[in-house]
Amino acid sequence: MVGLTSAAGLVGFLSEPDPELRVFALRKLDEEIDLLWAEVADSVGTIEALYEDDSFPERELAALLTAKVYYHLGEYNESMIFALGAGKLFDLDNKGEFEETIISKCVDTYIALTAPATLVNTANQTAPQLITSFPSGGGNASAGLTSPMTPFSQSTLPSKSLLSRAEPSAFDPSLPGGGNAVVGSHPAPLILHRDIRENLHAVVEQLFERCFREGRYRQVVGIAIEAKNLDVLKRVILRASEDEKREGKKKQVEGPGKGEELMEYVLDICMGVVQERGLRNQILKLILDLLNDISTPDYFAIAKCVVYLNQHSMASDILHQLVQKGDVKSLAVAYQIAFDLYDNGTQEFLAKIQENLPVAADEESTKLGDDGEEPSRETDRLISDTSVGSSVRQELIPEDQKKAYGSIRSILQGTKSIDLNLEFLFRNNHTDMNILTKVKDCLEARNSIFHTAVTFSNALMNAGTTNDGFFRHNLEWLGKAVNWSKFTATAALGVIHKGNLSQGMKLLYPYLPRDTVSPGSVFSQGGSLYALGLIYANHGTNVLDYLRDQFKSATEEVIQHGGALGLGVAGMATGSEDIYDDLKSVLYTDSALNGEAVGLAMGLVMLGSGNIKALEDMIQYAHDTQHEKIVRGLALGMALIMYGRQEAADELINGLLDDPDPTLRYGGIMTIAMAYCGTGSNKAVRKLLHVAVSDVSDDVRRVAVMSLGFILFRKPSSVPRMVELLSESYNPHVRYGAALALGISCAGTGLDEAIDLLEPMIKDPTDFVRQGALISLAMIMVQQNEPMNPKVGIIRKTFQRIISDKHEDAMAKFGCALALGIIDAGGRNCTIGLQTQTGNLNMAGIVGMAVFTQYWYWFPLTHFLSLSFTPTAVIGLDHELEIPSFKFYSATRPSLFDYPPEQETKTDEAPEKVATAVLSTTAQAKRRAQKKERAQKHDSMDIEPTSATPRTADPRADDKDKMDIDDEGSKVKSEKTEGEKSEEKEGEKEVTPSTDGAKKKNGKDVEKEKVGYWIENMSRVLPAQLKFISFPADGRYEPIKKPTGGVVLLTDTKPSDPKTLLELKSRKVSSTTTDSEGITKTRQTEQERSRRDGTTAGTGGAEAAVGVLTAMDEDDEGGEEAEVPREFHYETDGDAFEE
């Protein structure tokens, strides 16, 4: 049958009084509407009238036809309304374009109608918390409505622009998308008739059911989270579990079931996509309830939720339940959860978990396990009083559970994790001391900025490795440190020995202030307190009391400065009111030197607490003081207090950004970075971009661009596009901020887009922009080799060229020295991790990176970068927390994730070798001419040559005059030209001649290299390599969970067989260094090994540097004591001090 070519006749039927004719016309038009819609559009009013006529028998057909007409006209809202009025005639199962479009429109409308109502209820529940977050401290009725930023709210300063004035000042849950979505991405809610609304919900329900039938649960999860409908979210998870039970557990052996997979997916979406903190908490609580209802719950997912929700009591209950089960696997799961809790929790959170754990008798409560640790030194005095008062009856704890609880405490206190990381970094140290030596030789030590740069490079390159041999072998260079350079060099020992808990206090004892008047330098004493805090970073234990005593008893400002920094680092996130009060009392002395460190330390101690009293004190004093350094320290401290608070920090942010003081506006930007770090919040990004192009202060604009890296480090690929234009700004401060934003967000990724933006910035006309570009390149390229990223060789060559260029600016050289330390961080075994290996935010890493960026104002803060260094290892432990010797499989080529080749010392001799190898033809011609003249002289004198002389000389002359020499010379030349051509083809990949041979070897062996190799336990495994790691199916040890890096608990499938344990090298060395007899011989062997492979152990370097760093400076009293280092100089005498 030929189709209709005109709709005129059928449209005429629509006006007929006979209902059958009108129904006939509607049916025919519905069949051909895709072709005839343009003619029917003129009569759409008539069709609408038929739909509105209650007596018309085919009202739904009229609605469907009207919906299709409006669809072709592009009026999708009207089309959706009429399609919903069509009832059953609107077939969801039809795969046409019209149906798909209307379904999509229905989902968007459902989200727009449901989300605001749900969020208003949520906001009403959390509103009291937000209001009371900022009380004024008064006792009146209006206290809860008054902001602590009273100086801000009463300020008459007008808004900086119409844009900032029009932007909502706080999180508005009534807005589509909750105020965080991009403007226009969510449609405004439509006003729908009640019947239409019911039909809308019916359509969405049909859509859900279709997804359930087809097993597409994740689509329903996405709609439920977008609509903020937790009832639907709960229903889909339960439905997935029911469907799995109905189908039978066919995949029980292969992995988790549908319900568990779906909950894991929801958890990932919740932590990575959901931006509103209130909604995220509600979803996590829902997941937590569902996980607890499962007969075999996923304890690792529960632990992840517990950490974020800060529910320490539930965490301790989980550990208690697992220990009480008593079997080996449950014990291993408990230990694994304890390790995960330590990696993701704060000191305060971990202390509360330990409080709730059962406590044994007094003699047992001091135990930390079987690992031989010294318990009295590692027991946290902050929790000793409360841990004894546990409600669990001590006499009811069996002996085996006492041991388990002791091991869990050692894990939660961090001693076990820190010891394992220290052992890994020590035994796998691949620091290239030749690079460090070249940096020292290229930078003039008498220039304090260069001396400090070498100190930082050494500290970062050897962070956590205990390799302090550089100081021992360069005492003369170290002796040139004066004043703050001496402070920085002493603090560098804390970075190098970070985590060396057993030897930390003994290591720094000669440097630390004494109770009596010490003749040493106050700079080394202040630096030693700073170093002590770095050794015990985020693990204060009993050094907090020692640091408090030294800080309170100190009278010198330099010692107070170092003590404040040490207190802040060691007491990070403890929330200790006592430490805060001690810091505040020193702050009120109004000293610019120690005030900056005290303000920062106050924020570190109260990190993430949102403490209102602390904020009030800091804001008030920031307005009272006249010292810019104090204001800057307080501004950064306030930002740290609001770490991770998100919407709860908006009031503080708006108040700080409206302040006329640019330093406080700087603090407001840092508050955005800390409060919204890792969230990817669109609202925060919009605010930062607006300030980056509108503020009048270069410092504020710089930090605004830089803070984008903190917000978006979970989405590194989006940052290069965002800062591409900013990296070409006319303002050098904005360009510097763009460079650091790339480095922070893309650290360790080797992202090509980021490198392409940074490479031109190395040649920027402004020196500090080049500095930022070099540092960022090193952050991005950390732990990258040429098989992973071919540009590594060129970038390393660029670093060495800049550091040796005498005409380069000092600022760029400083940045280059830092870059050389960062790119080889932790002996090439650490990456920069702003999130933990389980996906949570790495609090210490983020804070360390944020404080490191303040090196712009104060160089000693550079050491904070070591807090963001994360060892990249897989460390397997059995259920007894011992390190078994076993191997696991990596399904890659060995060279793909191998260490980069070391730089050889003969690289400097390479140009001379080339010059002597290639002979000019002129020199050859002269030599031949001289030999001919000699021969002619012999002939003219008629002296008959003896048989011996010519026979000994002629062969040499003949050999030299033969054309073979020319051939060899031409060969050398041809080889050189071929080498030059190959270098051009390789794109200048070669860094040094030493790597050329290695590369040729690799080039030959790449094809022959086998894919797959075995890795020993406690070896380096890069994050990108984890997906290729597997444990043998028939192996003895099996992981308790999928390896994510770090500590992995193992189950022993052959417990009756004897096991082989790895030897702890760091503990063995530390025990030998503490032996009073034979210490000199031990040190000699260590020095020989250190010269051979660039590693060292014990405290030799720190001891050797005591006389140099503690000597009084020439401008201090007692300057004659500066000659002590020469008398103290030694390398083999181990008894540097006997205290």
Side-chain angles (χ1 to χ4, degrees):
M1 179 178 176
V2 180
L4 295 174
T5 58
S6 175
L10 294 175
V11 170
F13 284 166
L14 296 176
S15 302
E16 292 292 330
D18 188 356
E20 293 184 0
L21 288 177
R22 287 182 285 182
V23 171
F24 172 77
L26 290 175
R27 289 175 178 169
K28 288 297 183 182
L29 289 173
D30 181 55
E31 294 174 0
E32 303 291 340
I33 190 63
D34 292 336
L35 297 175
L36 305 177
W37 66 268
E39 296 182 62
V40 179
D42 294 334
S43 303
V44 69
T46 305
I47 304 174
E48 284 186 41
L50 293 176
Y51 166 67
E52 293 171 357
D53 186 2
D54 295 335
S55 61
F56 186 68
E58 294 290 341
R59 292 180 64 247
E60 294 180 348
L61 181 59
L64 180 62
L65 184 60
T66 306
K68 291 183 178 180
V69 173
Y70 278 119
Y71 163 74
H72 286 291
L73 291 172
E75 298 290 340
Y76 299 122
N77 286 333
E78 295 291 333
S79 178
M80 180 199 67
I81 293 173
F82 282 101
L84 292 174
K88 296 181 180 180
L89 293 181
F90 178 61
D91 188 7
L92 296 180
D93 295 330
N94 192 356
K95 301 297 183 181
E97 184 179 350
F98 165 72
E99 285 77 11
E100 295 293 335
T101 304
I102 298 304
I103 289 174
S104 176
K105 195 67 182 175
C106 288
V107 171
D108 290 342
T109 306
Y110 172 79
I111 293 172
L113 290 172
T114 309
T118 307
L119 269 179
V120 166
N121 295 333
T122 305
N124 291 336
Q125 295 173 2
T126 59
Q129 298 177 3
L130 294 177
I131 293 174
T132 57
S133 294
F134 299 100
S136 63
N140 54 3
S142 62
L145 301 176
T146 308
S147 169
M149 283 73 64
T150 304
F152 306 136
S153 58
Q154 293 179 357
S155 175
T156 57
L157 185 72
S159 299
K160 292 182 286 298
S161 69
L162 291 175
L163 179 60
S164 63
R165 191 180 307 138
E167 187 172 346
S169 60
F171 174 77
D172 186 2
S174 63
L175 294 175
N180 270 314
V182 179
V183 177
S185 63
H186 285 266
L190 296 174
I191 300 176
L192 300 178
H193 192 270
R194 192 168 117 188
D195 296 338
I196 300 297
R197 186 178 290 237
E198 292 176 356
N199 291 341
L200 174 65
H201 284 278
V203 167
V204 174
E205 287 296 327
Q206 293 178 37
L207 183 63
F208 288 165
E209 286 297 328
R210 188 173 73 178
C211 291
F212 291 155
R213 291 194 305 269
E214 298 174 359
R216 295 184 295 171
Y217 303 105
R218 295 190 176 190
Q219 294 187 5
V220 182
V221 168
I223 296 174
I225 293 179
E226 281 285 333
K228 282 77 177 177
N229 195 327
L230 300 184
D231 294 334
V232 174
L233 184 60
K234 182 177 181 179
R235 194 179 78 184
V236 65
I237 295 175
L238 294 176
R239 177 67 178 268
S241 301
E242 292 174 1
D243 292 346
E244 182 186 8
K245 292 178 182 178
R246 224 179 279 120
E247 295 173 2
K249 300 181 179 179
K250 297 179 181 178
K251 297 184 179 180
Q252 185 177 4
V253 181
E254 298 177 7
K258 293 182 180 178
E260 296 175 1
E261 287 182 353
L262 197 60
M263 276 190 281
E264 185 178 352
Y265 172 73
V266 173
L267 189 58
D268 293 339
I269 292 295
C270 184
M271 303 301 293
V273 177
V274 177
Q275 297 181 356
E276 298 86 356
R277 189 180 185 187
L279 176 63
R280 184 182 299 158
N281 288 344
Q282 286 198 347
I283 296 175
L284 288 175
K285 289 177 182 177
L286 173 64
I287 297 174
L288 208 53
D289 294 339
L290 294 174
L291 286 171
N292 288 326
D293 292 339
I294 300 176
S295 57
T296 56
D298 183 359
Y299 288 108
F300 303 114
I302 293 176
K304 200 171 183 179
C305 298
V306 162
V307 170
Y308 189 87
L309 295 173
N310 201 27
Q311 297 197 2
H312 51 84
S313 59
M314 185 172 292
S316 58
D317 290 342
I318 293 172
L319 294 174
H320 184 59
Q321 292 172 10
L322 289 170
V323 171
Q324 282 190 330
K325 287 184 178 180
D327 60 300
V328 173
K329 185 174 182 180
S330 297
L331 201 59
V333 172
Y335 291 157
Q336 185 70 67
I337 290 176
F339 278 112
D340 292 345
L341 290 174
Y342 173 75
D343 289 339
N344 299 302
T346 64
Q347 289 192 64
E348 183 180 13
F349 176 74
L350 297 172
K352 290 180 179 178
I353 295 177
Q354 295 177 66
E355 292 176 19
N356 296 330
L357 287 177
V359 181
D362 292 340
E363 65 271 15
E364 295 293 333
S365 63
T366 58
K367 268 193 174 182
L368 293 179
D370 299 346
D371 50 1
E373 295 291 336
E374 294 185 22
S376 60
R377 296 185 180 180
E378 299 305 328
T379 302
D380 194 344
R381 293 183 183 178
L382 292 176
I383 64 170
S384 60
D385 297 333
T386 55
S387 61
V388 175
S390 176
S391 60
V392 179
R393 288 180 302 214
Q394 300 175 1
E395 64 272 10
L396 297 180
I397 302 178
E399 196 65 32
D400 56 342
Q401 292 187 15
K402 289 179 184 178
K403 179 181 177 181
Y405 286 126
S407 299
I408 290 176
R409 280 196 173 84
S410 70
I411 296 171
L412 293 177
Q413 289 173 350
T415 54
K416 195 67 182 177
S417 295
I418 292 172
D419 286 345
L420 291 172
N421 287 331
L422 186 71
E423 172 69 22
F424 162 72
L425 292 175
F426 177 79
R427 69 191 299 140
N428 295 284
N429 184 18
H430 280 72
T431 301
D432 191 352
M433 299 303 293
N434 295 325
I435 296 177
L436 199 55
T437 303
K438 183 174 182 180
V439 173
K440 176 185 71 71
D441 295 339
C442 292
L443 299 181
E444 177 57 46
R446 294 190 179 276
N447 190 333
S448 63
I449 186 175
F450 288 159
H451 195 286
T452 303
V454 178
T455 300
F456 288 142
S457 184
N458 173 41
L460 298 176
M461 199 177 293
N462 295 289
T465 63
T466 69
N467 177 15
D468 54 9
F470 180 77
F471 284 160
R472 183 173 64 228
H473 301 316
N474 296 278
L475 289 176
E476 183 180 355
W477 166 85
L478 192 61
K480 298 178 182 179
V482 294
N483 298 336
W484 288 106
S485 296
K486 190 172 291 185
F487 177 93
T488 305
T490 309
L493 293 173
V495 177
I496 295 172
H497 291 271
K498 181 176 177 289
N500 194 358
L501 305 181
S502 60
Q503 299 290 322
M505 185 68 75
K506 180 180 178 181
L507 174 83
L508 294 175
Y509 181 77
Y511 301 90
L512 292 169
R514 312 292 173 83
D515 295 335
T516 58
V517 178
S518 176
S521 171
V522 294
F523 292 97
S524 66
Q525 293 175 14
S528 65
L529 294 176
Y530 185 16
L532 189 62
L534 289 169
I535 290 177
Y536 291 86
N538 199 22
H539 181 72
T541 66
N542 59 339
V543 299
L544 282 176
D545 292 334
Y546 175 81
L547 287 170
R548 281 185 63 193
D549 295 339
Q550 293 294 337
F551 177 72
K552 290 189 292 186
S553 61
T555 56
E556 294 286 344
E557 291 184 342
V558 177
I559 299 178
Q560 288 180 336
H561 183 92
L565 292 176
L567 263 178
V569 180
M572 185 186 301
T574 56
S576 173
E577 293 286 350
D578 296 334
I579 298 178
Y580 173 79
D581 292 337
D582 294 339
L583 293 168
K584 187 171 64 172
S585 63
V586 175
L587 175 69
Y588 288 161
T589 61
D590 203 42
S591 169
L593 181 59
N594 55 30
E596 182 177 19
V598 166
L600 173 60
M602 292 165 70
L604 287 171
V605 172
M606 293 294 175
L607 178 65
S609 65
N611 190 294
I612 307 307
K613 182 178 180 299
L615 287 173
E616 290 178 351
D617 296 339
M618 297 169 78
I619 292 169
Q620 184 62 42
Y621 196 77
H623 284 88
D624 293 342
T625 185
Q626 300 297 319
H627 297 290
E628 182 181 350
K629 290 174 71 68
I630 297 179
V631 177
R632 185 180 299 113
L634 290 172
L636 185 57
M638 286 187 284
L640 295 175
I641 290 176
M642 282 300 179
Y643 167 83
R645 306 295 292 183
Q646 296 189 24
E647 292 85 8
D650 284 353
E651 192 173 2
L652 175 64
I653 291 170
N654 292 323
L656 291 174
L657 290 181
D658 287 338
D659 197 275
D661 187 353
T663 307
L664 285 177
R665 296 204 302 275
Y666 184 102
I669 296 298
M670 288 302 299
T671 307
I672 295 177
M674 292 294 98
Y676 290 93
C677 59
T679 62
S681 171
N682 295 317
K683 179 181 66 173
V685 171
R686 289 200 305 270
K687 174 68 79 174
L688 291 175
L689 290 175
H690 169 62
V691 174
V693 296
S694 64
D695 200 276
V696 295
S697 170
D698 286 336
D699 287 346
V700 179
R701 297 180 67 178
R702 181 182 68 248
V703 74
V705 181
M706 184 178 66
S707 297
L708 292 171
F710 289 101
I711 306 296
L712 299 169
F713 67 78
R714 280 180 165 167
K715 304 173 183 176
S717 58
S718 64
V719 179
R721 298 195 307 270
M722 188 170 295
V723 302
E724 183 176 4
L725 293 178
L726 295 173
S727 65
E728 301 174 358
S729 170
Y730 71 94
N731 191 326
H733 292 268
V734 174
R735 300 199 298 271
Y736 173 90
L740 274 196
L742 291 169
I744 293 168
S745 60
C746 305
T749 62
L751 195 65
D752 292 333
E753 293 83 355
I755 296 171
D756 293 339
L757 288 179
L758 289 171
E759 282 180 329
M761 301 177 76
I762 298 178
K763 302 176 182 179
D764 194 275
T766 307
D767 53 357
F768 61 80
V769 177
R770 298 198 297 274
Q771 179 190 86
L774 292 169
I775 293 174
S776 296
L777 276 174
M779 290 182 182
I780 296 172
M781 285 300 190
V782 64
Q783 286 197 325
Q784 300 280 316
N785 57 14
E786 290 201 17
M788 296 172 66
N789 194 318
K791 291 187 178 181
V792 174
I794 302 174
I795 291 174
R796 285 182 177 271
K797 186 177 180 181
T798 303
F799 289 166
Q800 296 183 11
R801 175 182 58 79
I802 292 175
I803 204 72
S804 59
D805 187 357
K806 295 181 179 180
H807 304 288
E808 186 61 77
D809 292 326
M811 296 296 290
K813 282 190 172 185
F814 179 86
C816 189
L818 287 184
L820 286 170
I822 293 170
I823 200 170
D824 290 335
R828 297 181 174 178
N829 291 303
C830 289
T831 188
I832 297 176
L834 301 188
Q835 55 183 340
T836 63
Q837 289 151 338
T838 55
N840 286 3
L841 297 180
N842 182 6
M843 181 194 68
I846 294 171
V847 171
M849 181 64 73
V851 181
F852 161 73
T853 59
Q854 308 308 306
Y855 82 90
W856 178 279
Y857 303 102
W858 191 233
F859 282 158
L861 298 181
T862 305
H863 287 313
F864 271 82
L865 182 61
S866 63
L867 300 183
S868 64
F869 289 170
T870 303
T872 53
V874 169
I875 304 174
L877 300 180
D878 60 12
H879 68 282
E880 295 178 348
L881 297 184
E882 294 177 332
I883 311 173
S885 177
F886 74 99
K887 294 183 179 181
F888 48 90
Y889 188 74
S890 176
T892 60
R893 291 181 284 108
S895 62
L896 182 58
F897 298 106
D898 197 8
Y899 290 96
E902 292 188 0
Q903 179 185 2
E904 296 184 6
T905 54
K906 63 181 181 181
T907 52
D908 295 336
E909 302 173 1
E912 299 178 3
K913 182 178 180 182
V914 173
T916 55
V918 180
L919 302 176
S920 64
T921 55
T922 305
Q924 294 177 0
K926 287 181 179 180
R927 190 173 65 245
R928 294 193 191 97
Q930 291 174 357
K931 291 173 182 176
K932 289 180 181 179
E933 289 178 2
R934 275 192 239 109
Q936 290 176 0
K937 287 181 181 179
H938 285 295
D939 294 340
S940 61
M941 294 175 64
D942 293 330
I943 298 177
E944 188 175 355
T946 61
S947 59
T949 304
R951 286 177 185 174
T952 56
D954 287 346
R956 292 183 193 173
D958 292 340
D959 290 342
K960 290 182 181 178
D961 291 338
K962 281 182 180 180
M963 293 302 293
D964 293 343
I965 291 293
D966 297 339
D967 293 340
E968 290 177 1
S970 62
K971 284 181 182 178
V972 171
K973 277 191 168 185
S974 63
E975 287 177 2
K976 181 183 177 185
T977 54
E978 289 176 4
E980 292 174 350
K981 292 179 181 179
S982 64
E983 287 179 1
E984 293 176 1
K985 292 180 181 179
E986 289 289 329
E988 296 182 354
K989 284 185 182 179
E990 289 83 7
V991 183
T992 58
S994 63
T995 60
D996 187 21
K999 262 204 241 179
K1000 289 180 180 178
K1001 183 179 178 181
N1002 290 338
K1004 294 178 181 178
D1005 294 344
V1006 164
E1007 297 179 358
K1008 301 179 182 178
E1009 195 175 13
K1010 294 182 179 179
V1011 175
Y1013 64 103
W1014 295 95
I1015 303 177
E1016 182 68 33
N1017 187 20
M1018 196 172 270
S1019 298
R1020 187 181 83 152
V1021 177
L1022 302 186
Q1025 189 179 2
L1026 285 171
K1027 57 186 176 182
F1028 302 106
I1029 295 298
S1030 61
F1031 286 73
D1034 56 347
R1036 176 172 180 176
Y1037 296 99
E1038 296 179 355
I1040 205 72
K1041 70 167 188 176
K1042 184 179 180 181
T1044 56
V1047 178
V1048 178
L1049 267 294
L1050 308 169
T1051 55
D1052 191 353
T1053 59
K1054 303 175 183 178
S1056 58
D1057 294 351
K1059 61 182 178 181
T1060 306
L1061 302 179
L1062 289 181
E1063 182 183 9
L1064 299 181
K1065 297 182 179 179
S1066 62
R1067 186 173 298 177
K1068 181 179 178 181
V1069 172
S1070 65
S1071 63
T1072 57
T1073 56
T1074 56
D1075 188 8
S1076 58
E1077 298 181 0
I1079 191 170
T1080 304
K1081 185 176 180 180
T1082 304
R1083 291 289 167 76
Q1084 288 176 350
T1085 58
E1086 290 174 11
Q1087 288 173 2
E1088 291 175 1
R1089 185 171 67 87
S1090 66
R1091 290 190 183 96
R1092 183 177 67 254
D1093 56 13
T1095 60
T1096 186
T1099 57
E1103 291 177 359
V1106 170
V1108 178
L1109 292 178
T1110 58
M1112 300 287 288
D1113 295 329
E1114 295 180 359
D1115 54 348
D1116 293 340
E1117 295 182 3
E1120 65 276 6
E1121 297 183 8
E1123 293 296 326
V1124 171
R1126 292 188 178 86
E1127 300 174 3
F1128 197 76
H1129 178 73
Y1130 70 97
E1131 288 190 0
T1132 59
D1133 186 4
D1135 295 327
F1137 64 96
E1138 293 183 8
E1139 293 292 338

